[in-house]
Amino acid sequence: MTDNHLDVRIDEDVAVLTLNRPAKLNALDVHTRVLLAQTIRRFGAGDRVRGIVLTGAGRAFSAGEDLQQVPATFDEIRVAFATFHDITRAILETKVPVIAAVNGIAVGGASEITLCCDTRVGSPAAEYFQPENHRGIIISNASSILLRRLVRNHAMRIILGSNRIGADEARRIGLLDEIVAPETLVGRAAEVARQWNSDPRTTALHLGLLRPRPEDIEAAFAREDEAARLAWESGAFSEGVEGFWAAKNAAPPAPAPSNRDRRR
Protein backbone atom coordinates (compact mmCIF):
# COMPACT_ATOMS: atom_id res chain seq x y z
CA MET A 1 0.00 0.00 0.00
CA THR A 2 1.27 3.51 -0.82
CA ASP A 3 -0.15 6.82 0.36
CA ASN A 4 1.76 9.58 -1.41
CA HIS A 5 4.50 9.97 1.19
CA LEU A 6 4.36 6.63 3.04
CA ASP A 7 4.86 3.22 1.47
CA VAL A 8 3.67 0.21 3.47
CA ARG A 9 4.46 -3.40 2.64
CA ILE A 10 4.54 -6.67 4.53
CA ASP A 11 7.82 -8.61 4.39
CA GLU A 12 6.54 -12.03 5.41
CA ASP A 13 5.56 -11.18 9.00
CA VAL A 14 7.14 -7.72 9.41
CA ALA A 15 5.59 -4.39 8.37
CA VAL A 16 8.06 -2.19 6.48
CA LEU A 17 7.07 1.49 6.55
CA THR A 18 9.06 3.60 4.09
CA LEU A 19 9.00 7.39 4.12
CA ASN A 20 8.53 7.92 0.41
CA ARG A 21 9.26 11.45 -0.67
CA PRO A 22 12.82 11.12 -1.97
CA ALA A 23 12.80 14.34 -4.01
CA LYS A 24 12.29 16.23 -0.74
CA LEU A 25 14.63 13.95 1.24
CA ASN A 26 11.49 12.45 2.80
CA ALA A 27 10.65 15.68 4.65
CA LEU A 28 7.72 15.15 7.00
CA ASP A 29 4.64 17.30 6.51
CA VAL A 30 1.74 17.19 8.98
CA HIS A 31 -0.27 14.73 6.85
CA THR A 32 2.62 12.26 6.74
CA ARG A 33 3.24 12.51 10.48
CA VAL A 34 -0.41 11.81 11.28
CA LEU A 35 -0.48 8.92 8.81
CA LEU A 36 2.73 7.45 10.21
CA ALA A 37 1.36 7.39 13.77
CA GLN A 38 -1.89 5.82 12.57
CA THR A 39 -0.05 3.14 10.59
CA ILE A 40 2.26 2.28 13.49
CA ARG A 41 -0.80 1.80 15.71
CA ARG A 42 -2.48 -0.34 13.06
CA PHE A 43 0.38 -2.83 13.05
CA GLY A 44 1.57 -2.30 16.60
CA ALA A 45 -1.13 -4.40 18.27
CA GLY A 46 0.77 -7.52 17.25
CA ASP A 47 -2.14 -9.39 15.70
CA ARG A 48 -0.88 -8.94 12.11
CA VAL A 49 2.93 -8.75 12.26
CA ARG A 50 5.85 -9.64 14.53
CA GLY A 51 7.62 -6.32 14.09
CA ILE A 52 7.76 -2.94 12.37
CA VAL A 53 10.67 -1.51 10.36
CA LEU A 54 10.83 2.23 9.67
CA THR A 55 13.10 3.46 6.87
CA GLY A 56 13.37 6.05 4.08
CA ALA A 57 13.37 5.96 0.28
CA GLY A 58 16.34 7.24 -1.70
CA ARG A 59 19.43 8.74 -0.11
CA ALA A 60 17.91 10.08 3.12
CA PHE A 61 16.08 8.61 6.06
CA SER A 62 14.29 11.95 6.44
CA ALA A 63 15.14 15.65 6.43
CA GLY A 64 12.76 16.13 9.36
CA GLU A 65 10.00 18.70 9.44
CA ASP A 66 9.00 20.11 6.07
CA LEU A 67 10.04 23.75 6.48
CA GLN A 68 8.13 24.69 3.34
CA GLN A 69 5.06 24.29 5.56
CA VAL A 70 6.59 26.14 8.49
CA PRO A 71 4.12 27.16 11.25
CA ALA A 72 3.08 30.81 11.10
CA THR A 73 1.42 30.97 14.55
CA PHE A 74 2.06 29.36 17.90
CA ASP A 75 -1.14 27.32 17.52
CA GLU A 76 0.38 25.81 14.37
CA ILE A 77 3.58 25.08 16.29
CA ARG A 78 1.52 23.25 18.91
CA VAL A 79 -0.07 21.12 16.18
CA ALA A 80 3.37 20.43 14.67
CA PHE A 81 4.74 19.35 18.05
CA ALA A 82 1.65 17.26 18.81
CA THR A 83 1.98 15.30 15.56
CA PHE A 84 5.65 14.58 16.22
CA HIS A 85 4.96 13.64 19.84
CA ASP A 86 2.22 11.25 18.76
CA ILE A 87 4.63 9.25 16.59
CA THR A 88 6.80 8.68 19.66
CA ARG A 89 3.73 7.76 21.68
CA ALA A 90 2.54 5.32 19.00
CA ILE A 91 5.93 3.57 18.82
CA LEU A 92 6.23 3.19 22.57
CA GLU A 93 2.71 1.75 22.80
CA THR A 94 3.35 -1.09 20.33
CA LYS A 95 3.44 -4.71 21.44
CA VAL A 96 6.03 -5.59 18.78
CA PRO A 97 9.62 -4.43 18.29
CA VAL A 98 10.02 -1.28 16.19
CA ILE A 99 13.32 -1.11 14.31
CA ALA A 100 14.71 2.02 12.65
CA ALA A 101 16.61 1.17 9.45
CA VAL A 102 18.59 4.39 9.01
CA ASN A 103 19.58 4.46 5.33
CA GLY A 104 20.90 8.03 5.15
CA ILE A 105 20.76 11.35 6.93
CA ALA A 106 18.18 11.76 9.71
CA VAL A 107 17.54 15.40 10.58
CA GLY A 108 15.75 17.04 13.49
CA GLY A 109 12.38 15.49 14.22
CA ALA A 110 13.17 12.46 12.04
CA SER A 111 16.36 11.84 13.98
CA GLU A 112 14.29 12.08 17.15
CA ILE A 113 11.77 9.53 15.88
CA THR A 114 14.52 6.91 15.72
CA LEU A 115 15.38 7.49 19.38
CA CYS A 116 12.23 5.80 20.66
CA CYS A 117 12.63 2.79 18.38
CA ASP A 118 13.79 -0.38 20.10
CA THR A 119 17.00 -0.51 18.07
CA ARG A 120 18.61 1.37 15.21
CA VAL A 121 20.34 -0.43 12.35
CA GLY A 122 22.18 1.82 9.91
CA SER A 123 23.98 1.71 6.60
CA PRO A 124 27.42 3.37 6.21
CA ALA A 125 25.53 6.41 4.83
CA ALA A 126 23.58 6.90 8.05
CA GLU A 127 24.05 10.33 9.59
CA TYR A 128 22.39 12.15 12.48
CA PHE A 129 21.92 15.92 12.50
CA GLN A 130 20.05 17.98 15.10
CA PRO A 131 20.13 21.60 13.81
CA GLU A 132 17.35 22.96 16.06
CA ASN A 133 19.54 24.96 18.44
CA HIS A 134 20.95 26.97 15.54
CA ARG A 135 17.54 27.47 13.92
CA GLY A 136 15.57 28.77 16.88
CA ILE A 137 13.58 25.52 17.04
CA ILE A 138 13.12 23.29 20.08
CA ILE A 139 13.72 19.54 20.12
CA SER A 140 10.60 17.36 20.41
CA ASN A 141 9.46 13.72 20.44
CA ALA A 142 10.60 13.35 24.09
CA SER A 143 14.15 13.48 22.77
CA SER A 144 15.00 15.61 25.81
CA ILE A 145 15.11 12.34 27.77
CA LEU A 146 15.48 9.72 25.02
CA LEU A 147 18.71 11.11 23.57
CA ARG A 148 20.48 11.30 26.92
CA ARG A 149 19.17 7.81 27.73
CA LEU A 150 21.01 6.50 24.66
CA VAL A 151 24.19 8.59 24.51
CA ARG A 152 24.49 10.23 27.94
CA ASN A 153 26.56 13.45 27.86
CA HIS A 154 27.07 13.24 24.10
CA ALA A 155 23.55 14.68 23.97
CA MET A 156 24.88 18.14 24.85
CA ARG A 157 27.19 18.49 21.85
CA ILE A 158 24.68 16.82 19.52
CA ILE A 159 21.97 19.34 20.45
CA LEU A 160 23.85 22.49 21.47
CA GLY A 161 26.61 22.10 18.90
CA SER A 162 24.41 20.71 16.11
CA ASN A 163 27.28 18.37 15.24
CA ARG A 164 26.72 15.96 12.39
CA ILE A 165 27.24 12.40 13.57
CA GLY A 166 28.33 9.90 10.93
CA ALA A 167 27.59 6.19 11.02
CA ASP A 168 30.80 5.06 12.73
CA GLU A 169 30.57 7.65 15.49
CA ALA A 170 26.85 6.98 15.88
CA ARG A 171 27.69 3.30 16.43
CA ARG A 172 30.42 4.18 18.92
CA ILE A 173 28.26 6.41 21.12
CA GLY A 174 25.06 4.35 20.92
CA LEU A 175 22.90 6.13 18.36
CA LEU A 176 23.25 3.11 16.09
CA ASP A 177 23.42 -0.46 17.34
CA GLU A 178 24.67 -2.03 14.11
CA ILE A 179 25.98 -0.99 10.67
CA VAL A 180 25.30 -3.20 7.65
CA ALA A 181 25.59 -2.95 3.88
CA PRO A 182 22.88 -0.79 2.24
CA GLU A 183 21.45 -3.69 0.26
CA THR A 184 20.91 -5.74 3.41
CA LEU A 185 19.68 -2.93 5.68
CA VAL A 186 15.92 -3.46 5.62
CA GLY A 187 16.28 -7.24 5.55
CA ARG A 188 18.57 -7.16 8.59
CA ALA A 189 16.16 -4.87 10.46
CA ALA A 190 13.29 -7.27 9.72
CA GLU A 191 15.44 -10.20 10.84
CA VAL A 192 16.11 -8.51 14.18
CA ALA A 193 12.38 -7.92 14.68
CA ARG A 194 11.69 -11.61 14.10
CA GLN A 195 14.51 -12.76 16.37
CA TRP A 196 13.39 -10.49 19.18
CA ASN A 197 9.74 -11.49 18.92
CA SER A 198 10.07 -15.27 19.11
CA ASP A 199 7.23 -15.39 21.66
CA PRO A 200 4.82 -12.43 21.39
CA ARG A 201 3.42 -13.14 24.86
CA THR A 202 6.67 -12.37 26.64
CA THR A 203 8.12 -9.93 24.10
CA ALA A 204 5.25 -7.49 24.63
CA LEU A 205 5.77 -7.69 28.39
CA HIS A 206 9.50 -7.07 28.12
CA LEU A 207 8.96 -4.12 25.78
CA GLY A 208 6.75 -2.59 28.46
CA LEU A 209 9.42 -3.12 31.10
CA LEU A 210 12.41 -1.91 29.08
CA ARG A 211 10.93 1.12 27.34
CA PRO A 212 10.64 4.49 29.14
CA ARG A 213 7.59 4.86 31.36
CA PRO A 214 4.62 6.61 29.69
CA GLU A 215 4.42 9.20 32.47
CA ASP A 216 8.07 10.18 31.91
CA ILE A 217 7.46 10.54 28.18
CA GLU A 218 4.38 12.71 28.71
CA ALA A 219 6.30 14.91 31.16
CA ALA A 220 9.03 15.38 28.54
CA PHE A 221 6.40 16.35 25.94
CA ALA A 222 5.05 19.00 28.33
CA ARG A 223 8.52 20.48 28.97
CA GLU A 224 9.30 20.55 25.25
CA ASP A 225 5.97 22.23 24.48
CA GLU A 226 6.69 24.93 27.07
CA ALA A 227 10.18 25.49 25.68
CA ALA A 228 8.68 25.81 22.18
CA ARG A 229 6.28 28.46 23.47
CA LEU A 230 9.13 30.46 24.97
CA ALA A 231 11.18 30.16 21.76
CA TRP A 232 8.22 31.44 19.75
CA GLU A 233 7.57 34.37 22.09
CA SER A 234 11.24 35.38 22.04
CA GLY A 235 11.26 35.55 18.25
CA ALA A 236 13.99 32.89 18.01
CA PHE A 237 11.79 30.53 16.01
CA SER A 238 10.83 33.02 13.29
CA GLU A 239 14.35 34.40 13.00
CA GLY A 240 15.86 30.91 12.81
CA VAL A 241 13.57 29.74 10.03
CA GLU A 242 14.03 32.98 8.10
CA GLY A 243 17.80 32.54 8.42
CA PHE A 244 17.54 28.96 7.15
CA TRP A 245 15.70 30.02 4.00
CA ALA A 246 17.97 33.02 3.43
CA ALA A 247 21.03 30.75 3.54
CA LYS A 248 19.37 28.13 1.35
CA ASN A 249 18.29 30.67 -1.27
CA ALA A 250 21.75 32.23 -1.31
CA ALA A 251 23.46 28.91 -1.99
CA PRO A 252 24.74 28.51 -5.59
CA PRO A 253 22.66 26.17 -7.74
CA ALA A 254 23.89 22.63 -8.28
CA PRO A 255 25.94 22.27 -11.48
CA ALA A 256 24.06 20.96 -14.51
CA PRO A 257 24.85 17.36 -15.43
CA SER A 258 27.51 16.92 -18.08
CA ASN A 259 26.85 15.11 -21.34
CA ARG A 260 28.70 12.14 -19.89
CA ASP A 261 26.38 12.16 -16.85
CA ARG A 262 23.33 12.31 -19.10
CA ARG A 263 24.48 9.24 -21.01
CA ARG A 264 24.66 7.14 -17.84
Side-chain angles (χ1 to χ4, degrees):
M1 179 188 78
T2 301
D3 179 298
N4 288 340
H5 303 161
L6 183 67
D7 180 78
V8 181
R9 67 180 176 88
I10 304 300
D11 180 358
E12 296 181 8
D13 50 4
V14 173
V16 178
L17 314 185
T18 303
L19 301 171
N20 189 32
R21 201 183 181 195
K24 297 288 187 180
L25 299 182
N26 303 320
L28 297 164
D29 57 14
V30 171
H31 167 75
T32 304
R33 298 197 298 266
V34 171
L35 179 63
L36 181 58
Q38 291 173 344
T39 306
I40 290 168
R41 287 192 170 97
R42 179 154 55 91
F43 291 107
D47 53 354
R48 302 178 63 180
V49 296
R50 289 169 60 187
I52 297 171
V53 172
L54 178 60
T55 192
R59 62 190 179 93
F61 178 78
S62 171
E65 183 170 10
D66 186 351
L67 291 181
Q68 289 190 327
Q69 299 182 1
V70 64
T73 66
F74 181 65
D75 283 343
E76 291 179 359
I77 289 178
R78 292 184 65 176
V79 170
F81 262 57
T83 55
F84 270 115
H85 291 339
D86 201 44
I87 296 169
T88 294
R89 192 181 287 117
I91 290 172
L92 294 175
E93 289 171 353
T94 67
K95 299 183 182 303
V96 300
V98 180
I99 316 297
V102 187
N103 57 299
I105 192 166
V107 181
S111 169
E112 294 159 5
I113 288 170
T114 73
L115 304 180
C116 61
C117 293
D118 299 305
T119 190
R120 287 149 300 284
V121 181
S123 79
E127 183 178 10
Y128 280 82
F129 180 37
Q130 299 279 169
E132 289 97 330
N133 191 50
H134 292 172
R135 292 185 185 169
I137 302 173
I138 300 299
I139 58 176
S140 61
N141 299 66
S143 57
S144 54
I145 64 170
L146 293 172
L147 184 59
R148 186 178 287 274
R149 186 173 186 258
L150 288 174
V151 303
R152 300 172 297 283
N153 285 342
H154 293 290
M156 286 293 184
R157 66 184 177 90
I158 291 171
I159 299 301
L160 299 185
S162 295
N163 295 7
R164 289 177 179 256
I165 308 297
D168 289 338
E169 185 180 4
R171 173 69 180 86
R172 179 179 65 82
I173 67 177
L175 274 176
L176 290 177
D177 296 305
E178 188 175 350
I179 300 173
V180 300
E183 63 270 17
T184 65
L185 177 62
V186 172
R188 174 55 183 160
E191 180 184 15
V192 171
R194 295 185 188 100
Q195 290 174 343
W196 285 9
N197 198 8
S198 58
D199 187 336
R201 296 169 299 180
T202 54
T203 297
L205 295 173
H206 279 124
L207 289 173
L209 292 170
L210 294 171
R211 287 169 171 169
R213 299 186 306 170
E215 56 267 35
D216 293 337
I217 294 296
E218 295 298 329
F221 290 159
R223 291 196 304 272
E224 291 163 0
D225 288 346
E226 175 62 10
R229 182 185 68 81
L230 295 173
W232 173 262
E233 292 179 353
S234 73
F237 180 93
S238 298
E239 291 172 13
V241 173
E242 289 170 5
F244 166 78
W245 281 114
K248 190 174 181 67
N249 292 334
S258 65
N259 289 334
R260 180 181 177 184
D261 291 332
R262 291 190 183 99
R263 289 194 297 268
R264 288 178 180 174

